[in-house]
Amino acid sequence: MTTGADVPKQVDHEQRRVQIAEALQRLTTRAGLEGVSLRQVAAEAGMSMGSVQHYFRTKDEMLRYALEHRHRLRSERITAKVLADGPPTPRSILRACLVEILPRDADSEADFLIGVAYFIRAVADPAMAKAFGEGMPELLEFFAGQVRQAQEAGDVPAWADPETEAALLWAIADSQGSEILMGHRTPAQAISTVDYYLDRLFTN
Amino acid sequence: MTTGADVPKQVDHEQRRVQIAEALQRLTTRAGLEGVSLRQVAAEAGMSMGSVQHYFRTKDEMLRYALEHRHRLRSERITAKVLADGPPTPRSILRACLVEILPRDADSEADFLIGVAYFIRAVADPAMAKAFGEGMPELLEFFAGQVRQAQEAGDVPAWADPETEAALLWAIADSQGSEILMGHRTPAQAISTVDYYLDRLFTN
C-alpha cells in the first residue's frame, strides 16, 4: 500500500533503524548481545524506548536487522577495498574478503566481536542460528564463483573443487579470526597463512 | 612433603576432582559455563558445596582443571582411534585428530559445546583466553611434527610449510565444527572437506 508520498518517510524509517542497529553494535562490542537491553539501546541511540519499539517489535527483530546491516557494511567495505587495490582479479577479491573478515584493527575487531556475539546466541537458539547462517550460502557461492572464474582463466588447477575451496577459504578466515581475538595469533600471522593458501591455490 | 602413606589419598583426591569436572561438563553442555554455579556442580556431582570448595577454591580453578581433564580425555580418545585403525601413519593420525574434533555424535557434540563455552568466557576474560590457549602450541606442534615426518618420508611435498599447514589443519576442524553446531553443514560434508585437504597435502 505504498504511495509516492510515503517514500521520504520510509527513508527516514530506514535511517532510524540504522541508528538503532549501530547503537546495538556499539553496545555489543562492549558487553555482548546477552547483556544488552532495549533500554540501553534506546539510551545509546539517543531515542525513547517507545521509538525503538516502534521500529522493532522484539529484540530478535532488532538483532536480525542489525545482522543484515552488518553484512551490508562489510560488503561495502570489501568492494571499496577491492576497487582501491587496482583492477580486481579473483585472487585480489578473495584476499580482500579474507583479510576483511580477520580482526586487524579496532573496527574489524568490533565487527568480529559482533559476529562472536551472534554465534554465542545462535549456539543455544536455532532461530538465531538460521538467521546467522542466512548470508553463508551467498558468501560461499561468491567464493566458489571466484575460484571457478580463476579456473576458467587457467589460474587455478582443474582438480580444485570450487565449493570445497570456498569452505576452506571461509574456515581459514573464521578460525584464525577467533585465534587473533584470543591473543593466540597475530593478524600478521593470520594474513601470511591466507597468502600461503592463496599461493598454493593460484598457480598464476 | 609427600610420603608413601599419602599416595592412596592423592589418588582419591584426583578421582574427586575428575568427578567434579565431569559434573561441570554435563552442566556446561546444557547451560553453558556462565549459567553454572558451584551449588549446581555440587548437586550434579552428588557432593556438598564444602567438598567442592575443598578441591577447588574458585570457579576459575575448577574451570581450568576441567579444561585440562577435557584435553586429556580427547588425547586418549584420539590415541585409541588411531590404534584401532591399524598401523598409524602421519595421515591417519592427522585425520583421526581432525575428525575427533568435529561434532559428529552426542559425545563429540558435547565436547565441542564445552569448547565453545570456554571460548565464550575467554572472549571477555584474558586469563581464560590464556588457559584456553595453553594446549594450542602443543597441538599445533604435534600437527606440524606429523607433516614434517610425512615430508621426510616423501609423502608431503617439500614446498609445504609444516607450521602453516598445522594452522590450516586446525582451522578446518575448528571452523567447520562451529558450522556443524549451527546446522549450516553436516558432519559428512565437514569430513569430506578434511579428506579433500589431506588428499591435496599428501601426495602418497
Side-chain angles (χ1 to χ4, degrees):
Chain A
M1 296 295 172
T2 310
T3 67
D6 280 341
V7 173
K9 213 173 164 193
Q10 283 192 348
V11 171
D12 181 57
H13 282 191
E14 191 55 22
Q15 278 170 346
R16 289 300 198 136
R17 285 200 185 89
V18 167
Q19 196 180 335
I20 295 166
E22 293 185 341
L24 171 69
Q25 291 183 354
R26 285 193 299 277
L27 291 170
T28 303
T29 57
R30 301 204 291 269
L33 281 178
E34 307 313 312
V36 170
S37 69
L38 271 180
R39 189 169 301 279
Q40 287 171 306
V41 173
E44 177 78 23
M47 293 165 67
S48 70
M49 275 282 277
S51 299
V52 170
Q53 284 168 325
H54 172 73
Y55 292 107
F56 300 108
R57 277 167 310 163
T58 63
K59 187 175 170 184
D60 272 357
E61 210 176 89
M62 180 170 71
L63 294 181
R64 278 197 300 274
Y65 178 84
L67 194 57
E68 285 161 23
H69 179 62
R70 175 175 171 257
H71 288 159
R72 265 197 306 277
L73 289 184
R74 177 177 274 183
S75 293
E76 286 170 16
R77 278 200 310 273
I78 291 175
T79 307
K81 181 79 184 61
V82 167
L83 294 177
D85 279 354
T89 62
R91 180 177 172 143
S92 77
I93 292 170
L94 286 173
R95 186 178 194 277
C97 292
L98 299 184
V99 172
E100 182 60 41
I101 292 165
L102 295 173
R104 316 160 314 284
D105 50 30
D107 274 359
S108 53
E109 192 180 303
D111 191 56
F112 203 91
L113 274 169
I114 294 166
V116 169
Y118 278 104
F119 171 70
I120 290 169
R121 201 175 166 96
V123 169
D125 176 353
M128 189 52 78
K130 196 167 165 286
F132 187 56
E134 256 161 21
M136 279 302 285
E138 285 84 349
L139 182 76
L140 292 177
E141 183 38 42
F142 177 75
F143 284 2
Q146 296 301 317
V147 173
R148 221 174 280 122
Q149 212 174 304
Q151 219 165 15
E152 281 157 17
D155 294 336
V156 161
W159 54 253
D161 175 61
E163 279 70 33
T164 310
E165 290 299 339
L168 288 171
L169 291 166
W170 167 254
I172 295 167
D174 178 39
S175 168
Q176 296 204 105
S178 306
E179 298 291 310
I180 293 173
L181 210 63
M182 301 282 101
H184 302 162
R185 259 175 111 69
T186 65
Q189 283 176 313
I191 292 175
S192 115
T193 303
V194 166
D195 283 327
Y196 172 95
Y197 192 77
L198 291 176
D199 278 345
R200 173 157 22 147
L201 183 59
F202 285 80
T203 44
N204 274 328
Chain B
M1 297 296 169
T2 309
T3 68
D6 281 342
V7 174
K9 213 174 165 194
Q10 282 192 350
V11 171
D12 182 58
H13 282 191
E14 191 54 24
Q15 278 170 347
R16 289 300 198 135
R17 284 199 185 89
V18 166
Q19 196 179 335
I20 295 167
E22 292 184 343
L24 172 69
Q25 291 182 355
R26 284 193 300 278
L27 291 170
T28 303
T29 57
R30 299 205 292 269
L33 281 178
E34 307 313 313
V36 171
S37 69
L38 271 180
R39 190 169 299 281
Q40 286 172 306
V41 173
E44 177 78 23
M47 294 166 68
S48 69
M49 275 282 277
S51 299
V52 171
Q53 283 167 326
H54 173 71
Y55 292 106
F56 300 107
R57 277 166 310 163
T58 64
K59 187 174 170 184
D60 272 357
E61 210 177 89
M62 181 171 68
L63 294 181
R64 278 198 300 276
Y65 179 84
L67 194 58
E68 285 161 23
H69 179 62
R70 175 174 171 257
H71 288 159
R72 265 196 308 277
L73 288 184
R74 176 177 275 182
S75 293
E76 286 170 16
R77 279 201 308 274
I78 292 175
T79 307
K81 180 81 184 61
V82 167
L83 295 177
D85 281 352
T89 62
R91 180 177 172 143
S92 76
I93 292 170
L94 286 173
R95 186 178 194 275
C97 292
L98 298 183
V99 171
E100 182 59 43
I101 292 165
L102 295 172
R104 315 158 318 281
D105 50 29
D107 274 0
S108 52
E109 192 179 303
D111 190 57
F112 202 92
L113 274 169
I114 294 166
V116 169
Y118 279 104
F119 171 71
I120 290 170
R121 201 174 166 97
V123 169
D125 177 353
M128 190 50 79
K130 195 166 164 289
F132 187 56
E134 254 160 21
M136 278 303 285
E138 286 84 350
L139 181 76
L140 292 177
E141 183 39 42
F142 177 75
F143 284 3
Q146 296 301 318
V147 173
R148 221 174 282 124
Q149 211 173 306
Q151 219 165 17
E152 281 156 17
D155 294 337
V156 160
W159 54 252
D161 176 60
E163 278 70 33
T164 310
E165 290 298 339
L168 288 170
L169 291 165
W170 166 255
I172 295 167
D174 177 40
S175 167
Q176 295 204 105
S178 305
E179 298 292 311
I180 294 172
L181 210 63
M182 301 281 101
H184 302 162
R185 258 175 111 67
T186 65
Q189 283 176 314
I191 292 174
S192 115
T193 303
V194 166
D195 283 327
Y196 172 95
Y197 192 78
L198 292 176
D199 277 344
R200 174 158 20 147
L201 183 59
F202 286 80
T203 44
N204 275 327

